[in-house]
Every structure is written in C-alpha cells, then in structure tokens.
Amino acid sequence: MIQTGAAVVALCHLKQGSLEVRVGDHVALGDLIAACGNSGNSTEPHVHVQAIDRLPVHAAEAVPMLFDGQLPRNGKILEIP
C-alpha cells in the first residue's frame, strides 16, 4: 500500500521476496518498489493496481485512476515502459 495525499494505492501480485521498500519509506515516481510477480491463478507475471480513498480496506471506496489522462476500462491491459 502506498499512501498519497489523495488516495491509498494497492499493488498486488508482486514477486515474493522482491520488495525494495519498507513500511514508512517515501517513494517517488520512477522508484523501484518490487518485481512483477505471478501469484494466484495466472499464466504470466502481472500487477493489479487499485486506488482507494482510505484505510482500512473493508471501509474504503474505489478512487478512479487515470493513465495517460484516460480512465482504462475494466480488464484493459496497460503496458507501462
């Protein structure tokens, strides 16, 4: 989980043992956080990204995230260089 000023961003399916940050670390755009993983029932490594308005997760509401100025549709695959 990454807390920003506007939302909490969850990154899921990261490669086990690959975390480069610890709780309380500050991260910036371009910082390496972890490697892309392959947890769950999947055929290839991938990362799920979701923004919520607050913690705890069970009380949170989703926050729209824009990529290249657009809100991707559900299930759209984004390739980030």
Side-chain angles (χ1 to χ4, degrees), residues 1 4 6 9 13-14 20 23-26 29 34-35 39 41 43 47-48 50 63 67 72 76-81:
M1 301 281 186
T4 73
V9 178
H13 301 296
L14 301 174
E20 296 289 333
V23 173
D25 284 355
H26 291 268
L29 185 63
S39 63
N41 185 18
T43 57
V47 175
H48 289 183
Q50 181 175 357
V63 173
F67 294 87
K76 179 170 176 59
I77 296 172
L78 299 175
E79 293 187 30
I80 309 296

Side-chain angles (χ1 to χ4, degrees), residues 15-53:
K15 183 177 180 182
Q16 188 172 4
S18 72
L19 281 176
E20 296 289 333
V21 295
R22 304 282 178 249
V23 173
D25 284 355
H26 291 268
V27 296
L29 185 63
D31 286 352
L32 177 64
I33 295 170
C36 181
N38 194 19
S39 63
N41 185 18
S42 63
T43 57
E44 59 189 290
H46 66 286
V47 175
H48 289 183
V49 179
Q50 181 175 357
I52 54 177
D53 64 350

